[in-house]
Short mmCIF file of all heavy atoms in Angstrom, two decimals:
data_model
loop_
_atom_site.label_atom_id
_atom_site.label_comp_id
_atom_site.label_asym_id
_atom_site.label_seq_id
_atom_site.Cartn_x
_atom_site.Cartn_y
_atom_site.Cartn_z
N ASP Y 290 14.73 19.03 -0.40
CA ASP Y 290 13.41 18.46 -0.25
C ASP Y 290 12.69 18.49 -1.59
O ASP Y 290 12.56 19.56 -2.21
CB ASP Y 290 12.58 19.25 0.78
CG ASP Y 290 13.16 19.07 2.19
OD1 ASP Y 290 13.77 18.00 2.42
OD2 ASP Y 290 13.02 19.99 3.01
N GLN Y 312 35.44 21.87 -26.43
CA GLN Y 312 35.92 20.48 -26.33
C GLN Y 312 34.94 19.68 -25.44
O GLN Y 312 34.61 20.11 -24.31
CB GLN Y 312 37.31 20.43 -25.66
CG GLN Y 312 38.41 20.98 -26.55
CD GLN Y 312 38.80 20.01 -27.67
OE1 GLN Y 312 39.09 18.85 -27.43
NE2 GLN Y 312 38.75 20.49 -28.89
N PHE Y 313 34.54 18.55 -25.91
CA PHE Y 313 33.66 17.69 -25.12
C PHE Y 313 34.45 17.09 -23.95
O PHE Y 313 35.49 16.53 -24.13
CB PHE Y 313 33.08 16.56 -25.99
CG PHE Y 313 32.31 15.55 -25.24
CD1 PHE Y 313 31.00 15.83 -24.78
CD2 PHE Y 313 32.84 14.31 -24.93
CE1 PHE Y 313 30.29 14.91 -24.08
CE2 PHE Y 313 32.13 13.37 -24.19
CZ PHE Y 313 30.82 13.68 -23.78
N ARG Y 346 26.00 25.65 -2.56
CA ARG Y 346 24.81 25.01 -3.11
C ARG Y 346 24.28 25.99 -4.15
O ARG Y 346 23.66 27.00 -3.82
CB ARG Y 346 23.76 24.78 -2.01
CG ARG Y 346 24.17 23.67 -1.04
CD ARG Y 346 23.40 23.76 0.26
NE ARG Y 346 21.95 23.79 0.00
CZ ARG Y 346 21.20 22.68 -0.26
NH1 ARG Y 346 21.77 21.49 -0.25
NH2 ARG Y 346 19.93 22.77 -0.45
N VAL Y 351 15.34 19.74 -11.09
CA VAL Y 351 14.16 19.01 -10.57
C VAL Y 351 13.41 18.43 -11.75
O VAL Y 351 13.12 19.15 -12.73
CB VAL Y 351 13.23 19.97 -9.78
CG1 VAL Y 351 12.01 19.19 -9.26
CG2 VAL Y 351 13.97 20.67 -8.65
N GLY Y 357 3.41 21.88 -14.86
CA GLY Y 357 3.18 20.59 -15.41
C GLY Y 357 3.41 20.44 -16.89
O GLY Y 357 3.33 19.35 -17.44
N VAL Y 361 11.36 18.91 -17.03
CA VAL Y 361 12.51 19.16 -16.13
C VAL Y 361 12.69 20.66 -15.92
O VAL Y 361 12.48 21.44 -16.84
CB VAL Y 361 13.83 18.57 -16.73
CG1 VAL Y 361 14.93 18.66 -15.69
CG2 VAL Y 361 13.63 17.15 -17.17
N ASP Y 365 17.75 28.08 -9.53
CA ASP Y 365 18.95 28.68 -8.98
C ASP Y 365 18.66 28.91 -7.46
O ASP Y 365 17.64 29.47 -7.12
CB ASP Y 365 19.27 30.00 -9.68
CG ASP Y 365 20.51 30.66 -9.11
OD1 ASP Y 365 20.43 31.34 -8.05
OD2 ASP Y 365 21.61 30.52 -9.70
N LYS Y 384 16.43 33.64 -13.00
CA LYS Y 384 15.93 34.30 -11.79
C LYS Y 384 15.98 33.32 -10.63
O LYS Y 384 15.50 32.20 -10.71
CB LYS Y 384 14.48 34.73 -12.01
CG LYS Y 384 14.31 35.87 -12.99
CD LYS Y 384 12.89 36.49 -12.89
CE LYS Y 384 12.67 37.54 -13.88
NZ LYS Y 384 12.02 37.05 -15.14
N LEU Y 389 13.12 27.26 -13.98
CA LEU Y 389 13.30 27.51 -15.40
C LEU Y 389 13.10 26.19 -16.14
O LEU Y 389 13.78 25.21 -15.84
CB LEU Y 389 14.69 28.04 -15.68
CG LEU Y 389 15.10 28.15 -17.14
CD1 LEU Y 389 14.54 29.44 -17.76
CD2 LEU Y 389 16.62 28.09 -17.31
N ASP Y 437 20.24 23.77 -32.76
CA ASP Y 437 21.05 24.52 -31.80
C ASP Y 437 22.52 24.49 -32.26
O ASP Y 437 22.84 23.84 -33.22
CB ASP Y 437 20.92 23.91 -30.41
CG ASP Y 437 21.45 22.47 -30.37
OD1 ASP Y 437 22.66 22.29 -30.33
OD2 ASP Y 437 20.61 21.58 -30.39
N SER Y 445 20.47 16.12 -45.47
CA SER Y 445 19.50 15.29 -46.24
C SER Y 445 18.63 16.26 -47.04
O SER Y 445 18.22 17.31 -46.55
CB SER Y 445 18.63 14.44 -45.34
OG SER Y 445 17.62 15.24 -44.76
N GLU Y 453 16.32 30.95 -50.90
CA GLU Y 453 15.17 31.76 -51.34
C GLU Y 453 13.89 31.27 -50.65
O GLU Y 453 13.12 32.05 -50.13
CB GLU Y 453 15.00 31.66 -52.87
CG GLU Y 453 16.14 32.31 -53.63
CD GLU Y 453 17.37 31.45 -53.77
OE1 GLU Y 453 17.38 30.34 -53.22
OE2 GLU Y 453 18.33 31.89 -54.40
N GLU Y 454 13.69 29.93 -50.67
CA GLU Y 454 12.47 29.35 -50.06
C GLU Y 454 12.44 29.72 -48.59
O GLU Y 454 11.44 30.11 -48.04
CB GLU Y 454 12.46 27.85 -50.17
CG GLU Y 454 12.07 27.31 -51.51
CD GLU Y 454 12.29 25.81 -51.56
OE1 GLU Y 454 12.08 25.16 -50.51
OE2 GLU Y 454 12.73 25.32 -52.60
N LYS Y 479 29.13 33.48 -49.40
CA LYS Y 479 29.67 32.45 -48.53
C LYS Y 479 29.87 31.13 -49.33
O LYS Y 479 30.82 30.44 -49.13
CB LYS Y 479 28.68 32.19 -47.40
CG LYS Y 479 28.86 33.08 -46.25
CD LYS Y 479 27.99 32.64 -45.10
CE LYS Y 479 28.11 33.63 -43.94
NZ LYS Y 479 27.00 33.52 -42.99
#
Side-chain angles (χ1 to χ4, degrees):
D290 293 332
Q312 291 284 306
F313 173 76
R346 290 162 53 82
V351 181
V361 188
D365 179 279
K384 291 194 183 94
L389 171 82
D437 64 78
S445 79
E453 293 81 358
E454 282 172 37
K479 273 188 184 161

